Amino acid sequence: MDEELFSKVKIFDVFMCYRKKDESVAAKFRTFFANNNISTFTFENMPAGVDFASTSLTAIRNSRVFIPLISADFSSSSWTMRELSTALEEAQSRDKVIVPIMFPGLQADNLPTDLRLILSKYQWYFLKGFADSDISECVKFLVENVIKKNTDKAIERINAYISGGLTFKATAELCELTSEYCSSLLEKCAAGISPELSEYLLLFTYLEKIEDIYDYSYGDKYKDLGHKKADLMARVNSLLKYIPEDCSDMLKIAAAIRILYFHREIVWQSADAITSGDVSEGIVYACPIKDYILKQEPYVKAYKEGLLSCVASECSKEILQFVSETEKYIYSPDYVKVAHAKPGTAPTETTSDKDDILKKIASFIHEGNKLFDLIEEQSQAEDFIKYLTTSYERLKSYCALVGAKDIQAECIDRIVELNAKADSKTNGETSEKASEGIKALLGISSPRNGKYDVFISHKSEDYDIAEDMYGFIGSHLKSAFLDKKSLPEMSEAEYKRSIMSALDGSTHFVVILSNLEYLNSKWVGVEMSTFHTEMIEGRKEKANFIFVVTDNVFEEISRTNKTVLPIEYRSFEIMLVSEYKQKILSYLK
């Protein structure tokens, strides 16, 4: 295995940079990271004969978080400083996260001036000691506030529930996630720190999805969900105490108007579910519009008075857009909400004998998959986990077609667990013969197809950026296509058909470039050309075609006035990797 092949094996959660003499401390961190399902790069996993310097560069690039363990003599090592320098370049160009961890007894003022200055803009963590409890506390902080693996798994499940039509499961989990997120915002407000635009956007993304995917079924479990929604909105409403009615901050004013809008809409859903539809026709009386008009009134007045000055100010384009789009969340006296369902007409499931047979088939296949689960418990082979995941994907699709929702939901949960297990592995090989045997046993040949908000095109060298974008888009409850995430192993012919299907089913297109030479890549070229043709021939009328590029590529494009790009692509939007998270969502509507 050469270093190029090795570089493509894994995307790591964490790369730790430290002096050789601090290996025992780093080993403790790796143990606690592994206990939290966090993968860390280590040179011990490298094949013999691989060049350390080039592999170090690739591993830093392919890691989500870079953690320098800062000891008193950290900067005296040319190797650690070289890795740090590389990480700083990657952090700027590829939007990497850096969290310096200061060893016990050290303060920033004790460090050499050059090291202190280059790390001053990052969030430090000051380690209390080297005891297991101290390192465990640090890892817990990193997992919850930086790496956020648990949130990623929850988002993956929620998106799968939504795409599978499992609205109850999606709403229940989304309420829990939103409640936790709102608690973090309230803690921030209580500490005197105002939420940023991105934080408000994420909150309202969650609330909008809760409102949007509301189903109209009734029963005890829906009553429980109704209470969960009511508790959530009470927490969301608590944010208003940090936004005074005479507030002059237009971002906060716009947020207050939206909070009151979603509070009323979701509280109505709650009342509808708790009363089993008894308030459906009397919606105005359940959550009186006039009360919300009065509550919104002072914020609306401040909004209208400050809108012109906000436009004339130096606010960012993103804040201006957020503020201007808030107008549609303002209640008017003549507001009328169409009743979602009439009392006593909640949907009820009816099944035919044929439906029962199909569901029994799903149950039979599900039991068969459990046999493979027993093998998986003993197997550390990454390929087996990947193939088993695809088997569950196929069963999930079948269950969606025949209406076996309980098994469908179980499949989604199992897929998320298997994906997390695959992500945590740094090696684990399967022989070619065993690999083919597993494929035959599981019957894996069919690709996964579907509809996507955005297709992410990239060269393999830019997979770290692509994967980060895939997670970011997913966290805002949008669906993205990314080859390694969205497709199982398959032949080139099957792969091409699947790519074409995904391009056909995608609304928008993003291509990632850290090197202009990647435009000559076979698959990047095919994907760009195919999607562009769909646009110019009118089959993608509302599509956006976006370049997301690193600093060096952006500079080259700017310097040449875009002439380095093929002429047919020069009119499209170009974003920096370090800035796309502030801009891209407005294009993916």
Side-chain angles (χ1 to χ4, degrees):
M1 179 185 290
D2 59 23
E3 55 245 43
E4 181 182 3
L5 248 176
F6 175 70
S7 73
K8 297 176 184 178
V9 168
K10 196 68 188 172
I11 294 289
F12 299 92
D13 292 314
V14 170
F15 184 105
M16 286 189 294
C17 173
Y18 54 90
R19 294 292 307 270
K20 182 68 175 177
K21 67 182 183 62
D22 297 321
E23 169 61 34
S24 60
V25 179
K28 284 190 175 184
F29 270 98
R30 283 196 293 272
T31 297
F32 282 104
F33 278 133
N35 291 341
N36 284 273
N37 197 31
I38 302 300
S39 61
T40 57
F41 172 80
T42 171
F43 284 101
E44 294 174 1
N45 293 331
M46 288 173 50
V50 172
D51 179 67
F52 273 64
S54 61
T55 302
S56 175
L57 166 64
T58 303
I60 291 171
R61 174 171 292 176
N62 287 356
S63 296
R64 298 182 179 94
V65 181
F66 180 85
I67 298 178
L69 302 179
I70 308 295
S71 58
D73 55 355
F74 178 91
S75 61
S76 64
S77 166
S78 59
W79 182 263
T80 55
M81 291 304 290
R82 178 180 178 180
E83 288 184 340
L84 178 59
S85 176
T86 299
L88 292 170
E89 291 177 10
E90 297 299 316
Q92 179 177 335
S93 183
R94 305 174 82 89
D95 196 29
K96 297 293 183 183
V97 177
I98 295 179
V99 184
I101 295 179
M102 186 81 81
F103 274 16
L106 290 179
Q107 297 295 326
D109 292 341
N110 303 138
L111 299 178
T113 304
D114 57 342
L115 182 61
R116 184 174 72 250
L117 289 176
I118 61 178
L119 293 177
S120 61
K121 68 178 182 177
Y122 298 106
Q123 179 183 8
W124 291 71
Y125 185 94
F126 292 88
L127 200 59
K128 295 176 182 177
F130 294 126
D132 286 357
S133 58
D134 299 318
I135 293 178
S136 175
E137 183 180 340
C138 177
V139 169
K140 181 181 179 183
F141 169 83
L142 293 169
V143 170
E144 293 179 353
N145 298 282
V146 181
I147 305 172
K148 301 178 181 177
K149 294 283 282 189
N150 292 334
T151 300
D152 291 345
K153 287 177 65 176
I155 287 293
E156 186 179 348
R157 281 196 301 272
I158 290 166
N159 280 328
Y161 292 150
I162 292 171
S163 63
L166 304 174
T167 53
F168 177 85
K169 293 280 289 185
T171 305
E173 185 135 357
L174 190 51
C175 280
E176 291 181 11
L177 178 65
T178 310
S179 183
E180 291 176 9
Y181 185 69
C182 189
S183 293
S184 68
L185 292 185
L186 286 167
E187 288 177 10
K188 194 170 184 177
C189 290
I193 305 170
S194 297
E196 298 176 359
L197 172 63
S198 59
E199 293 172 312
Y200 279 131
L201 281 172
L202 189 55
L203 173 65
F204 296 127
T205 295
Y206 291 164
L207 294 176
E208 191 163 29
K209 186 60 69 172
I210 289 172
E211 181 201 16
D212 182 55
I213 63 175
Y214 178 60
D215 59 25
Y216 318 124
S217 299
Y218 304 124
D220 289 342
K221 72 175 185 177
Y222 288 94
K223 288 181 181 180
D224 291 341
L225 182 57
H227 287 294
K228 186 175 290 188
K229 285 184 178 182
D231 292 342
L232 166 64
M233 295 320 298
R235 186 165 298 184
V236 171
N237 206 48
S238 296
L239 288 168
L240 288 179
K241 70 181 180 181
Y242 299 104
I243 308 176
E245 293 182 350
D246 58 352
C247 179
S248 59
D249 186 330
M250 288 296 288
L251 177 59
K252 289 184 179 180
I253 293 168
I257 291 171
R258 294 187 188 216
I259 287 170
L260 285 166
Y261 172 84
F262 285 112
H263 186 274
R264 195 259 177 190
E265 300 306 301
I266 296 174
V267 165
W268 174 80
Q269 292 181 358
S270 171
D272 184 54
I274 292 170
T275 64
S276 297
D278 288 345
V279 301
S280 294
E281 289 188 339
I283 180 171
V284 174
Y285 303 105
C287 307
I289 287 289
K290 64 179 182 180
D291 289 352
Y292 285 85
I293 292 173
L294 290 174
K295 290 175 183 176
Q296 275 192 345
E297 196 171 78
Y299 295 114
V300 172
K301 180 181 178 183
Y303 175 82
K304 292 180 177 178
E305 290 176 351
L307 195 55
L308 288 177
S309 60
C310 182
V311 172
S313 70
E314 296 182 357
C315 288
S316 68
K317 177 183 175 183
E318 290 72 35
I319 288 180
L320 286 174
Q321 183 173 350
F322 178 81
V323 169
S324 62
E325 290 179 350
T326 297
E327 190 164 357
K328 64 184 179 183
Y329 298 99
I330 297 174
Y331 287 120
S332 60
D334 59 348
Y335 175 87
V336 176
K337 180 84 173 184
V338 177
H340 293 294
K342 294 183 178 180
T345 59
T348 56
E349 291 188 0
T350 57
T351 59
S352 64
D353 291 340
K354 183 178 179 181
D355 289 335
D356 287 337
I357 292 172
L358 293 174
K359 290 179 182 179
K360 285 178 181 178
I361 292 172
S363 181
F364 176 79
I365 298 171
H366 184 46
E367 291 302 313
N369 259 15
K370 287 182 179 179
L371 295 176
F372 292 123
D373 286 342
L374 295 175
I375 303 173
E376 184 267 328
E377 288 177 4
Q378 303 299 319
S379 173
Q380 296 302 308
E382 192 170 352
D383 282 351
F384 183 84
I385 294 172
K386 181 166 53 182
Y387 300 144
L388 182 57
T389 303
T390 304
S391 180
Y392 270 105
E393 286 279 4
R394 298 175 73 190
L395 177 56
K396 182 191 75 174
S397 299
Y398 175 80
C399 290
L401 288 173
V402 303
K405 291 190 175 182
D406 289 343
I407 297 177
Q408 184 185 355
E410 284 186 44
C411 287
I412 289 170
D413 294 341
R414 190 73 180 103
I415 290 164
V416 172
E417 291 172 9
L418 288 167
N419 285 340
K421 184 169 286 189
D423 284 344
S424 69
K425 295 195 175 302
T426 56
N427 53 22
E429 299 180 3
T430 306
S431 69
E432 184 176 349
K433 187 174 181 179
S435 177
E436 290 303 313
I438 293 168
K439 282 187 179 182
L441 190 62
L442 297 176
I444 292 173
S445 61
S446 302
R448 302 175 224 162
N449 298 321
K451 298 294 182 181
Y452 305 94
D453 292 304
V454 59
F455 184 105
I456 302 174
S457 177
H458 67 98
K459 191 87 161 53
S460 59
E461 286 80 356
D462 288 335
Y463 182 69
D464 61 313
I465 303 173
E467 187 192 48
D468 188 56
M469 181 181 292
Y470 176 85
F472 174 77
I473 291 171
S475 72
H476 286 78
L477 305 180
K478 302 285 185 181
S479 59
F481 175 88
L482 179 60
D483 51 2
K484 292 183 182 179
K485 294 284 188 181
S486 307
L487 297 177
E489 291 292 305
M490 57 184 66
S491 68
E492 184 167 349
E494 291 171 328
Y495 182 83
K496 183 175 181 179
R497 285 197 299 272
S498 298
I499 291 293
M500 292 300 113
S501 176
L503 286 165
D504 185 39
S506 297
T507 304
H508 305 286
F509 184 89
V510 173
V511 58
I512 296 168
L513 295 175
S514 66
N515 188 323
L516 285 168
E517 291 296 320
Y518 296 166
L519 287 170
N520 300 322
S521 165
K522 172 187 173 182
W523 279 109
V524 171
V526 167
E527 289 161 0
M528 289 175 60
S529 175
T530 301
F531 197 89
H532 182 244
T533 299
E534 292 295 291
M535 291 177 66
I536 62 178
E537 292 187 359
R539 290 183 290 274
K540 301 279 188 184
E541 292 182 3
K542 297 180 180 180
N544 286 294
F545 192 115
I546 301 168
F547 288 93
V548 174
V549 303
T550 52
D551 293 6
N552 59 307
V553 173
F554 187 82
E555 289 170 6
E556 182 69 6
I557 292 173
S558 301
R559 185 181 63 79
T560 60
N561 194 23
K562 297 187 178 181
T563 56
V564 291
L565 295 176
I567 190 169
E568 63 267 32
Y569 301 122
R570 292 174 188 168
S571 63
F572 295 133
E573 183 74 16
I574 301 172
M575 300 178 187
L576 283 168
V577 171
S578 58
E579 296 178 354
Y580 80 82
K581 291 178 182 177
Q582 288 80 45
K583 299 178 178 180
I584 199 166
L585 292 175
S586 63
Y587 289 84
L588 306 184
K589 294 181 178 178

